[in-house]
Amino acid sequence: MKTGNKFGAHRVIEPAGALPQPAWKIDNTMEIYDNEILINVQTLNIDAASMTQIEREAGGDEEKIKAKMTEIVEERGKHHNPETGSGGMLIGTVEQVGEKLTDRDLKPGDKVATLSSLSLTPLRIDKIKEVNTDIDQVHIEGKAVLFESALYSKIPEDMEDTLALAALDVAGAAAQTAKLVQPGDTVFIIGAGGKSGLLCLHEAKKRAGVSGKVIGISRSDAGCERIKETGLADVILQGSATEPMNILKEVEEATDGELCDVTINNVNVPDTEMGSILPTKDGGIVYFFSMATSFTKAALGAEGVGKDVNMIIGNGYTKDHADITLEILRENQKIRDIFNRLYT
Amino acid sequence: MKTGNKFGAHRVIEPAGALPQPAWKIDNTMEIYDNEILINVQTLNIDAASMTQIEREAGGDEEKIKAKMTEIVEERGKHHNPETGSGGMLIGTVEQVGEKLTDRDLKPGDKVATLSSLSLTPLRIDKIKEVNTDIDQVHIEGKAVLFESALYSKIPEDMEDTLALAALDVAGAAAQTAKLVQPGDTVFIIGAGGKSGLLCLHEAKKRAGVSGKVIGISRSDAGCERIKETGLADVILQGSATEPMNILKEVEEATDGELCDVTINNVNVPDTEMGSILPTKDGGIVYFFSMATSFTKAALGAEGVGKDVNMIIGNGYTKDHADITLEILRENQKIRDIFNRLYT
């Protein structure tokens, strides 16, 4: 066996010199290099934006959805939707571990979820068995290859695959919250009633402690109800982060004008940059986990109002993020109940 | 006099409820509220992308450039180019200080440069006297209003206006470098031969100290020559950050495989995200000062290669950023010489 590049650059077909994620086409030959892992794929968890686009283009017809997905993979060697630029994740069992990776805690038969995006993962679809557009899951027969740098998590035995997958899908935000929040901090969680927001609420409350304050906001009644159900927020606000002046006023009232040390934005909604920046105090941190964030709107927006805040780009990966996230579902039965109700 | 909103929201005409920067149209009546400052404008420093667009649209004709600039300000109440979304800065003298701001160290006649963008500054142009597209400067007769939250810097007496303006235009990056770099750090500066990069080189070397290592990269011969002229870089690389695998290899060689603690990206070039992320070590910091940065390319890119790096959105403002930046031109005669040669 040959040794490939750590990041998978050896499988890039075009353009030459690119990395697998930005590449247009990668090699999906299912013969692995000695620093790769071969996966027997069971389920694809397609990125929500991508699934919506495919469903719309197919007019909701299941056979057309299957044809479109097959076409993407045949053309690009990966399920990287050219319209949305996004991928997703997969669940499968390990079939073969390259000999240079045998020191890893991974053996044939282990069930894993990949945490690196489908937009960079060599994939071959042999058959699409079932499409479930409601929860963006597609059951298939096929194979995939993980590079040496790829992220994955073994599916724990104490929870359902679908539950683990739902949580791992947003693993980055809660783990970053755990790292950023200090005891006594005032933490503002935007989109706190959503999948990622609920996990962040748990870590925020745990880290800020009794001397801290956790403020959760949701646009919808249902979202506010879920925040309430967890019992983790000291203050629950209802409103939209697209209205920064309103948000600022509400947070000023909730904090006696002190504003927040850490703000976590979890809403995939455009124009929420200022609604995140204004309620954060000078010297505080704004963590943008939302993929709808505009770099220039954040950069120019903070400068425009003279706010000295540290703005962080949500990296989907941080050390031990999968373990931290799955542990929340063990520690917090209320969040686990909500996840089981909504996402499995 | 009435008191306006700190951020200038009281001057927004449309859309209602917006802040002045994202607003389409703001009120440029030159009668100030008691928490505003009236400026007698002398020079506009138009954002480079905006100036280029206007020049191209006008086919290089000076009268048409003047007409286009006048049209933008008449339509929007601010010099906010609708094509590029960008503004610029201005230099002028203080004409009137609102009575609620009299505790500031500012009096009529003081010469100031505004650091908040023209894209949010109420402006009235009475006459355009001279257009200098080479250095993006336009001399005018006119007035502007600064809000309570607006950023400005008094022009120091020990340097030319144009020199101060050139440095203040990129004030954020060097001040952030000063904050981020610790003694002993290995620092990688992308675009180190440019305006912002040269200032960052100075702060990086000063903060990293003798036990640290500063690596500067530029695409051009001239840029590498300028880096060399400063004597601040321990290693000078020539290459493009759009080629991440090459960059990684060069930085690995320059650091014995250790990679960098802090990477500062100063190049306004698309697709340099991975060239910034790969040469940074796990746990390190990538500071994106480039306005060409794509939020999603950075977020998905870091996850795609499994890099646990902290990625920061370049906030043009950080406390004392103007003072820190102007001080560099006093401390470092070589950089001052280069600035005088190129930007004044």
Side-chain angles (χ1 to χ4, degrees), chain A residues 51-84:
Chain A
M51 190 82 251
T52 304
Q53 189 276 326
I54 292 171
E55 197 183 354
R56 194 176 299 143
E57 191 179 316
D61 182 287
E62 185 166 328
E63 290 311 310
K64 284 186 184 157
I65 291 174
K66 289 180 180 177
K68 180 69 193 167
M69 291 182 62
T70 306
E71 184 193 321
I72 290 173
V73 174
E74 280 179 358
E75 194 171 20
R76 307 192 70 176
K78 54 182 179 174
H79 201 285
H80 189 179
N81 187 330
E83 300 296 325
T84 62

Short mmCIF file of all heavy atoms in Angstrom, two decimals, chain A residues 51-84:
data_model
loop_
_atom_site.label_atom_id
_atom_site.label_comp_id
_atom_site.label_asym_id
_atom_site.label_seq_id
_atom_site.Cartn_x
_atom_site.Cartn_y
_atom_site.Cartn_z
N MET A 51 -30.13 19.28 1.32
CA MET A 51 -31.31 18.41 1.17
C MET A 51 -32.49 19.22 0.64
O MET A 51 -33.21 18.76 -0.27
CB MET A 51 -31.65 17.79 2.53
CG MET A 51 -32.70 16.69 2.48
SD MET A 51 -32.02 15.07 2.02
CE MET A 51 -32.67 14.87 0.37
N THR A 52 -32.69 20.39 1.19
CA THR A 52 -33.80 21.25 0.77
C THR A 52 -33.66 21.59 -0.71
O THR A 52 -34.63 21.55 -1.48
CB THR A 52 -33.80 22.56 1.60
OG1 THR A 52 -33.86 22.22 2.98
CG2 THR A 52 -34.99 23.44 1.23
N GLN A 53 -32.43 21.91 -1.14
CA GLN A 53 -32.21 22.28 -2.54
C GLN A 53 -32.49 21.10 -3.46
O GLN A 53 -33.16 21.23 -4.50
CB GLN A 53 -30.76 22.77 -2.70
CG GLN A 53 -30.43 23.39 -4.06
CD GLN A 53 -30.08 22.35 -5.11
OE1 GLN A 53 -29.49 21.32 -4.81
NE2 GLN A 53 -30.47 22.61 -6.36
N ILE A 54 -32.00 19.92 -3.08
CA ILE A 54 -32.19 18.72 -3.92
C ILE A 54 -33.68 18.37 -4.01
O ILE A 54 -34.22 18.09 -5.09
CB ILE A 54 -31.40 17.52 -3.35
CG1 ILE A 54 -29.89 17.79 -3.49
CG2 ILE A 54 -31.79 16.22 -4.04
CD1 ILE A 54 -29.02 16.79 -2.77
N GLU A 55 -34.36 18.45 -2.87
CA GLU A 55 -35.80 18.12 -2.82
C GLU A 55 -36.59 19.08 -3.73
O GLU A 55 -37.48 18.66 -4.47
CB GLU A 55 -36.28 18.25 -1.38
CG GLU A 55 -37.61 17.56 -1.13
CD GLU A 55 -38.10 17.78 0.31
OE1 GLU A 55 -37.35 18.36 1.13
OE2 GLU A 55 -39.23 17.38 0.59
N ARG A 56 -36.22 20.36 -3.68
CA ARG A 56 -36.92 21.35 -4.48
C ARG A 56 -36.67 21.09 -5.97
O ARG A 56 -37.61 21.09 -6.78
CB ARG A 56 -36.45 22.77 -4.10
CG ARG A 56 -37.34 23.87 -4.64
CD ARG A 56 -36.89 25.25 -4.15
NE ARG A 56 -36.95 25.36 -2.70
CZ ARG A 56 -36.07 26.02 -1.95
NH1 ARG A 56 -35.04 26.63 -2.52
NH2 ARG A 56 -36.21 26.08 -0.64
N GLU A 57 -35.41 20.85 -6.31
CA GLU A 57 -35.08 20.62 -7.72
C GLU A 57 -35.79 19.37 -8.25
O GLU A 57 -36.18 19.32 -9.42
CB GLU A 57 -33.55 20.46 -7.87
CG GLU A 57 -33.09 20.48 -9.32
CD GLU A 57 -31.56 20.35 -9.45
OE1 GLU A 57 -30.84 21.01 -8.68
OE2 GLU A 57 -31.13 19.59 -10.32
N ALA A 58 -35.98 18.38 -7.37
CA ALA A 58 -36.63 17.13 -7.78
C ALA A 58 -38.14 17.22 -7.67
O ALA A 58 -38.85 16.25 -7.94
CB ALA A 58 -36.11 15.98 -6.93
N GLY A 59 -38.65 18.38 -7.29
CA GLY A 59 -40.10 18.54 -7.14
C GLY A 59 -40.67 17.57 -6.12
O GLY A 59 -41.84 17.18 -6.20
N GLY A 60 -39.84 17.15 -5.16
CA GLY A 60 -40.30 16.25 -4.11
C GLY A 60 -40.38 14.78 -4.53
O GLY A 60 -40.71 13.92 -3.71
N ASP A 61 -40.06 14.48 -5.79
CA ASP A 61 -40.14 13.10 -6.29
C ASP A 61 -38.96 12.27 -5.80
O ASP A 61 -37.80 12.60 -6.06
CB ASP A 61 -40.16 13.16 -7.83
CG ASP A 61 -40.28 11.78 -8.45
OD1 ASP A 61 -39.28 11.01 -8.41
OD2 ASP A 61 -41.36 11.47 -8.96
N GLU A 62 -39.25 11.17 -5.09
CA GLU A 62 -38.18 10.40 -4.45
C GLU A 62 -37.18 9.83 -5.46
O GLU A 62 -35.97 9.85 -5.22
CB GLU A 62 -38.77 9.29 -3.58
CG GLU A 62 -37.67 8.54 -2.82
CD GLU A 62 -38.20 7.65 -1.69
OE1 GLU A 62 -39.22 8.00 -1.08
OE2 GLU A 62 -37.56 6.62 -1.42
N GLU A 63 -37.68 9.34 -6.58
CA GLU A 63 -36.76 8.76 -7.57
C GLU A 63 -35.83 9.83 -8.14
O GLU A 63 -34.65 9.59 -8.40
CB GLU A 63 -37.53 8.06 -8.70
CG GLU A 63 -38.22 6.77 -8.26
CD GLU A 63 -37.27 5.83 -7.49
OE1 GLU A 63 -36.16 5.56 -7.98
OE2 GLU A 63 -37.65 5.38 -6.37
N LYS A 64 -36.38 11.03 -8.33
CA LYS A 64 -35.54 12.13 -8.85
C LYS A 64 -34.51 12.58 -7.82
O LYS A 64 -33.39 12.97 -8.16
CB LYS A 64 -36.42 13.31 -9.28
CG LYS A 64 -37.13 13.05 -10.61
CD LYS A 64 -37.87 14.29 -11.10
CE LYS A 64 -38.66 13.98 -12.37
NZ LYS A 64 -39.77 14.93 -12.56
N ILE A 65 -34.91 12.54 -6.54
CA ILE A 65 -33.95 12.87 -5.48
C ILE A 65 -32.79 11.88 -5.52
O ILE A 65 -31.61 12.26 -5.49
CB ILE A 65 -34.63 12.84 -4.08
CG1 ILE A 65 -35.64 13.99 -3.96
CG2 ILE A 65 -33.59 12.91 -2.97
CD1 ILE A 65 -36.47 13.96 -2.68
N LYS A 66 -33.14 10.59 -5.63
CA LYS A 66 -32.10 9.56 -5.69
C LYS A 66 -31.19 9.77 -6.90
O LYS A 66 -29.96 9.65 -6.81
CB LYS A 66 -32.75 8.16 -5.78
CG LYS A 66 -33.44 7.71 -4.50
CD LYS A 66 -34.06 6.32 -4.69
CE LYS A 66 -34.76 5.85 -3.43
NZ LYS A 66 -35.43 4.55 -3.63
N ALA A 67 -31.81 10.08 -8.04
CA ALA A 67 -31.02 10.28 -9.27
C ALA A 67 -30.06 11.47 -9.12
O ALA A 67 -28.89 11.40 -9.53
CB ALA A 67 -31.96 10.51 -10.46
N LYS A 68 -30.56 12.54 -8.49
CA LYS A 68 -29.73 13.74 -8.31
C LYS A 68 -28.53 13.45 -7.40
O LYS A 68 -27.39 13.85 -7.68
CB LYS A 68 -30.60 14.87 -7.72
CG LYS A 68 -29.87 16.17 -7.47
CD LYS A 68 -29.47 16.84 -8.76
CE LYS A 68 -28.47 17.97 -8.51
NZ LYS A 68 -27.85 18.44 -9.76
N MET A 69 -28.81 12.74 -6.29
CA MET A 69 -27.74 12.41 -5.36
C MET A 69 -26.69 11.52 -6.03
O MET A 69 -25.48 11.72 -5.86
CB MET A 69 -28.30 11.71 -4.12
CG MET A 69 -29.14 12.63 -3.23
SD MET A 69 -29.76 11.77 -1.74
CE MET A 69 -28.22 11.33 -0.94
N THR A 70 -27.16 10.55 -6.80
CA THR A 70 -26.24 9.66 -7.51
C THR A 70 -25.39 10.45 -8.50
O THR A 70 -24.17 10.24 -8.61
CB THR A 70 -27.05 8.57 -8.27
OG1 THR A 70 -27.92 7.93 -7.34
CG2 THR A 70 -26.13 7.56 -8.91
N GLU A 71 -26.04 11.39 -9.17
CA GLU A 71 -25.34 12.21 -10.16
C GLU A 71 -24.22 13.04 -9.52
O GLU A 71 -23.10 13.11 -10.04
CB GLU A 71 -26.36 13.13 -10.84
CG GLU A 71 -25.80 14.00 -11.96
CD GLU A 71 -26.81 15.09 -12.34
OE1 GLU A 71 -28.03 14.81 -12.36
OE2 GLU A 71 -26.36 16.24 -12.56
N ILE A 72 -24.53 13.66 -8.38
CA ILE A 72 -23.52 14.47 -7.68
C ILE A 72 -22.28 13.62 -7.36
O ILE A 72 -21.15 14.02 -7.63
CB ILE A 72 -24.09 15.08 -6.37
CG1 ILE A 72 -25.13 16.16 -6.68
CG2 ILE A 72 -22.96 15.67 -5.51
CD1 ILE A 72 -25.87 16.69 -5.45
N VAL A 73 -22.53 12.43 -6.81
CA VAL A 73 -21.41 11.59 -6.38
C VAL A 73 -20.63 11.04 -7.58
O VAL A 73 -19.40 10.96 -7.55
CB VAL A 73 -21.91 10.45 -5.45
CG1 VAL A 73 -20.78 9.49 -5.13
CG2 VAL A 73 -22.47 11.04 -4.17
N GLU A 74 -21.34 10.70 -8.65
CA GLU A 74 -20.63 10.20 -9.83
C GLU A 74 -19.77 11.28 -10.47
O GLU A 74 -18.69 11.03 -10.97
CB GLU A 74 -21.63 9.64 -10.86
CG GLU A 74 -22.07 8.22 -10.48
CD GLU A 74 -23.08 7.63 -11.45
OE1 GLU A 74 -23.47 8.34 -12.41
OE2 GLU A 74 -23.48 6.48 -11.24
N GLU A 75 -20.28 12.53 -10.41
CA GLU A 75 -19.57 13.63 -11.05
C GLU A 75 -18.38 14.12 -10.23
O GLU A 75 -17.33 14.47 -10.77
CB GLU A 75 -20.54 14.79 -11.27
CG GLU A 75 -20.03 15.86 -12.21
CD GLU A 75 -21.12 16.86 -12.56
OE1 GLU A 75 -22.12 16.96 -11.82
OE2 GLU A 75 -20.97 17.57 -13.56
N ARG A 76 -18.53 14.14 -8.89
CA ARG A 76 -17.51 14.76 -8.05
C ARG A 76 -16.72 13.79 -7.17
O ARG A 76 -15.74 14.18 -6.54
CB ARG A 76 -18.15 15.84 -7.16
CG ARG A 76 -18.97 16.86 -7.97
CD ARG A 76 -19.36 18.07 -7.13
NE ARG A 76 -18.19 18.88 -6.82
CZ ARG A 76 -18.24 20.04 -6.17
NH1 ARG A 76 -19.41 20.52 -5.77
NH2 ARG A 76 -17.15 20.73 -5.92
N GLY A 77 -17.18 12.54 -7.07
CA GLY A 77 -16.49 11.59 -6.20
C GLY A 77 -16.81 11.80 -4.73
O GLY A 77 -16.21 11.18 -3.84
N LYS A 78 -17.76 12.69 -4.44
CA LYS A 78 -18.14 13.03 -3.05
C LYS A 78 -19.52 13.66 -3.10
O LYS A 78 -19.93 14.18 -4.16
CB LYS A 78 -17.12 14.02 -2.45
CG LYS A 78 -16.90 15.29 -3.32
CD LYS A 78 -15.86 16.24 -2.72
CE LYS A 78 -15.63 17.46 -3.59
NZ LYS A 78 -14.74 18.46 -2.97
N HIS A 79 -20.27 13.62 -1.98
CA HIS A 79 -21.60 14.25 -1.98
C HIS A 79 -21.46 15.73 -1.60
O HIS A 79 -21.79 16.14 -0.49
CB HIS A 79 -22.58 13.54 -1.05
CG HIS A 79 -24.01 13.84 -1.43
ND1 HIS A 79 -24.62 15.04 -1.15
CD2 HIS A 79 -24.92 13.13 -2.15
CE1 HIS A 79 -25.85 15.04 -1.63
NE2 HIS A 79 -26.06 13.90 -2.25
N HIS A 80 -20.97 16.49 -2.57
CA HIS A 80 -20.70 17.91 -2.37
C HIS A 80 -21.62 18.67 -3.32
O HIS A 80 -21.31 18.85 -4.50
CB HIS A 80 -19.23 18.16 -2.70
CG HIS A 80 -18.73 19.53 -2.35
ND1 HIS A 80 -17.44 19.92 -2.54
CD2 HIS A 80 -19.37 20.60 -1.81
CE1 HIS A 80 -17.29 21.18 -2.15
NE2 HIS A 80 -18.45 21.61 -1.71
N ASN A 81 -22.76 19.09 -2.79
CA ASN A 81 -23.78 19.76 -3.61
C ASN A 81 -23.23 21.03 -4.24
O ASN A 81 -22.86 21.97 -3.52
CB ASN A 81 -24.99 20.09 -2.71
CG ASN A 81 -26.17 20.64 -3.50
OD1 ASN A 81 -25.99 21.28 -4.54
ND2 ASN A 81 -27.37 20.38 -3.02
N PRO A 82 -23.15 21.09 -5.57
CA PRO A 82 -22.55 22.27 -6.20
C PRO A 82 -23.39 23.54 -6.03
O PRO A 82 -22.85 24.65 -6.10
CB PRO A 82 -22.43 21.89 -7.68
CG PRO A 82 -23.29 20.70 -7.88
CD PRO A 82 -23.54 20.07 -6.55
N GLU A 83 -24.68 23.38 -5.75
CA GLU A 83 -25.54 24.56 -5.58
C GLU A 83 -25.33 25.21 -4.21
O GLU A 83 -25.26 26.42 -4.09
CB GLU A 83 -27.02 24.18 -5.72
CG GLU A 83 -27.40 23.58 -7.06
CD GLU A 83 -27.22 24.57 -8.20
OE1 GLU A 83 -27.44 25.77 -7.99
OE2 GLU A 83 -26.81 24.14 -9.30
N THR A 84 -25.26 24.40 -3.17
CA THR A 84 -25.17 24.95 -1.81
C THR A 84 -23.74 24.93 -1.27
O THR A 84 -23.45 25.60 -0.28
CB THR A 84 -26.04 24.13 -0.82
OG1 THR A 84 -25.54 22.79 -0.77
CG2 THR A 84 -27.49 24.10 -1.27
#
